[in-house]
Amino acid sequence: MKKDSWNKYKENHVTDEKFWNKLVKFGKQIGEKTVYYSLLLYYTAKSPTVPKSSKMIIVGALSYLIFPVDAIPDFIPVVGLADDSAVIAAAVYKVFQHIDDHIKNQAKEKLASVFGDTSDS
């Protein structure tokens, strides 16, 4: 995909609103760990120090999470969100070296503010 095409795709399909809507709607179903990993990716993508190649991995993974039609549709109980979780975990593994303590703290704070205190889990 050419750079201009990628930017148009990203602008039209990968939005903060779609990301937050998906997390709020399916957060409990995909589980705390996947929500946390998704937040790690989200905040890592916002960091100006992260290289574009890593950001493309993140955008791809978050796009997969957001996009309603994927390998296993999300409406299928249990397994419908398992593929989304696997993609998110793989992306975290690929960009882990760019996830610093500040990003981890942002993700933990957002997880707690959106889904309540999760420190006992």
Side-chain angles (χ1 to χ4, degrees):
M1 192 178 279
K2 290 184 178 181
K3 187 176 180 180
D4 291 338
S5 298
W6 174 251
N7 287 334
K8 280 186 181 181
Y9 174 82
K10 195 169 85 169
E11 287 171 12
N12 293 327
H13 299 287
V14 183
T15 65
D16 286 355
E17 181 181 2
K18 287 180 180 180
F19 172 75
W20 293 115
N21 286 343
K22 181 78 174 222
L23 282 190
V24 169
K25 184 175 182 179
F26 291 105
K28 294 202 186 293
Q29 291 172 323
I30 61 176
E32 181 180 325
K33 185 177 279 189
T34 300
V35 171
Y36 175 66
Y37 285 175
S38 299
L39 291 169
L40 286 175
L41 292 175
Y42 177 82
Y43 289 116
T44 302
K46 300 271 186 195
S47 174
T49 61
V50 176
K52 285 187 180 186
S53 60
S54 293
K55 287 184 180 190
M56 288 183 72
I57 291 169
I58 293 168
V59 169
L62 294 180
S63 294
Y64 192 84
L65 176 71
I66 293 168
F67 196 63
V69 179
D70 50 35
I72 304 171
D74 295 341
F75 64 83
I76 298 173
V78 183
V79 296
L81 295 166
D83 62 324
D84 294 24
S85 297
V87 168
I88 294 297
V92 168
Y93 177 77
K94 289 292 229 179
V95 302
F96 189 76
Q97 70 271 21
H98 303 294
I99 301 173
D100 59 22
D101 288 338
H102 177 68
I103 291 169
K104 290 176 186 176
N105 288 333
Q106 284 181 297
K108 286 176 187 174
E109 287 173 14
K110 191 61 167 181
L111 183 68
S113 74
V114 173
F115 297 102
D117 184 15
T118 59
S119 60
D120 294 337
S121 305

